[in-house]
Amino acid sequence: MTEEQIKHLVDRFLSWHLPRDFNPDGGIRFSRAVPASADRPIIQDMPTGTNLLDARQADELVRHMIEGMPDGPLESFAWLIEAPGQHYLRAVKIGSNEFRWTKDHDEAIRFFSEQQADDTMMSLRALVPALFGFEATLGNAKAVEHGWMS
């Protein structure tokens, strides 16, 4: 991580509003009521950050958390278009209009969201109806979320 990213994490950590059900332990006390004054009523307010660490300590905590962090995601998820029998839609050649079904999800076209996969599937149904000819007998293709180790 860059120094700027670490600073961002520290700043976000310290500015986070504690939840209403914040319940500190270890003898830490927090009084939610702010005394009323002549021009304002009693205010029930929650602090930000943990009130346990200052910025230097939070910086040390964030650096401790990211030390030894793996380079890439441990698990990645993608939406795939799946046909009955676990066949996944793949492009034969990038940039071509030729598509096929594959049993290997690693060869499948990946989408960022179910909506993106559904929209693509609907377009392909209109453009390449033969690709979905099995639906009358085997059932519908659908967008499915897959997770696998990368």
Side-chain angles (χ1 to χ4, degrees), residues 3 26 32 43 45 47 63 88 106 128 133:
E3 291 298 315
R32 287 179 174 82
I43 299 171
D45 198 14
R63 289 176 189 279
Y88 306 101
D106 287 330
V128 193

Side-chain angles (χ1 to χ4, degrees), residues 89-144:
L89 187 66
R90 74 176 181 98
V92 174
K93 182 180 172 187
I94 302 298
S96 79
N97 291 332
E98 192 174 348
F99 299 91
R100 295 260 187 335
W101 296 102
T102 178
K103 288 188 181 238
D104 184 354
H105 64 71
D106 287 330
E107 294 178 356
I109 301 172
R110 291 170 174 79
F111 300 94
F112 296 109
S113 68
E114 182 179 17
Q115 185 65 50
Q116 186 186 40
D118 282 342
D119 291 347
T120 301
M121 188 165 41
M122 297 311 287
S123 297
L124 286 173
R125 277 192 173 106
L127 295 171
V128 193
L131 192 61
F132 292 88
F134 61 84
E135 289 185 333
T137 56
L138 297 176
N140 290 332
K142 62 183 182 248
V144 293

Side-chain angles (χ1 to χ4, degrees), residues 32-45:
R32 287 179 174 82
V34 175
S37 66
D39 58 338
R40 74 166 192 231
I42 293 178
I43 299 171
Q44 297 285 10
D45 198 14

Side-chain angles (χ1 to χ4, degrees), residues 48 58-59 84 120 129 147:
T48 58
D59 183 88
T120 301

